Amino acid sequence: MKLTEHINNIKTNENYRYTYVIAEIGVNHNGSIDEALRLIDASHDAGVDAVKFQKRNLESLYTKKILDDPNSAEWAFEYLIPILEETELSSEDYEVIKKRCDELELELIITPFDLESAQFCFNLGVNAFKIGSADMINYELIEKCFGYKLPLIISTGMWTEQEISQSVAKYKTFGDNDFFMLLANSTYPTPYESINLEFLNRLKEIHHLCGYSGHE
C-alpha cells in the first residue's frame, strides 16, 4: 500500500485497521550495494510496505578536523567516524536502490541527517522522510523536509510528553503536509518492560497520525 493512500484511509475511516510496515535497513548493508539489494529483496519477500535507509553528508555534520583525525575529539568519534565513512552508500548506489524498490513496488523512505541529504533524498524521489529521535527538535531540518510536501515520520525516543507536544505544535507552523509521530525507545536493544506500548494511546491524543518504531 502507498503511504499517501494509508494516510487518506486513516483520515476517512475511523475503523481502518491496516498497519503500514517499514523494514529498517539503515546501515545494515555495511556499505555494500549488493547487500543493500539483498535486504530489499528479503524485505519484499516478508511483505512489508516500505524499506528505510539513512543518508548523511559527513562534511555537513562534522568538522574537517574530526573527519581528518577522529582521535582529536571525544573518544566515541574514534569508532563512529570510520563506521559512517565505510557504510555511506554513493549517489549511484541510491539510484540502483530506488530502481529496485520501484521494480518491487516497495516505497523508499530515507532518514536524512542534514540539509544536503534532505535535498538529495527529495531529488532521488523518496516517498517520505523519516526523522530519527535525536532530531525530533531539529526544527531547521524538519522544516526543510516539510517544504518538499512529502509525509514525514518522526520518532520520539528520549523525549518527554511535554517536549513531544511542543514539537507537534511547532511542526504545524511549517505547513499542512502530513506527519506521523512514532513511539520509540532509544535504548538498543530495548528491554520489553521499557517499551510502554500503552503510551500509543496518549501519543494518538497528541497527534492523530502515530505509530511504533521497535528497537527491542
Side-chain angles (χ1 to χ4, degrees), residues 146-166:
F146 260 76
Y148 296 119
K149 303 300 181 183
L150 293 173
L152 273 76
I153 302 168
I154 305 168
S155 285
T156 62
M158 81 180 83
W159 300 102
T160 66
E161 180 177 329
Q162 180 181 7
E163 290 165 333
I164 294 168
S165 296
Q166 291 171 342

Side-chain angles (χ1 to χ4, degrees), residues 32-75:
S32 165
I33 183 59
D34 290 336
E35 184 66 8
L37 295 176
R38 188 190 70 79
L39 290 169
I40 291 171
D41 291 345
S43 299
H44 174 262
D45 291 345
V48 305
D49 298 287
V51 293
K52 189 184 81 65
F53 287 80
Q54 299 178 5
K55 182 72 178 74
R56 295 172 176 83
N57 183 325
L58 295 180
E59 288 74 19
S60 297
L61 292 169
Y62 304 103
T63 65
K64 185 176 186 302
K65 179 181 179 182
I66 290 177
L67 292 175
D68 289 343
D69 181 14
N71 292 322
S72 65
E74 59 185 89
W75 69 269

Side-chain angles (χ1 to χ4, degrees), residues 11 145-152 171 174-179:
K11 289 180 175 179
C145 292
F146 260 76
Y148 296 119
K149 303 300 181 183
L150 293 173
L152 273 76
Y171 303 155
F174 296 154
D176 59 358
N177 52 312
D178 295 305
F179 64 93

Side-chain angles (χ1 to χ4, degrees), residues 132-148:
S133 293
D135 282 325
M136 191 191 79
I137 60 169
N138 186 343
Y139 296 131
E140 182 181 25
L141 175 61
I142 292 172
E143 185 173 17
K144 174 82 168 179
C145 292
F146 260 76
Y148 296 119

Side-chain angles (χ1 to χ4, degrees), residues 18 31 33 38 55 64 68 75 86 95 98 105 126 132 155 161 179-180 182 194-195 200-201 210-211:
Y18 183 87
I33 183 59
R38 188 190 70 79
K55 182 72 178 74
K64 185 176 186 302
D68 289 343
W75 69 269
E86 181 179 345
E95 293 289 348
K98 180 64 169 63
E105 297 184 345
V126 295
S155 285
E161 180 177 329
F179 64 93
F180 285 81
L182 300 188
S194 300
I195 293 174
L200 278 169
N201 296 320
C210 65

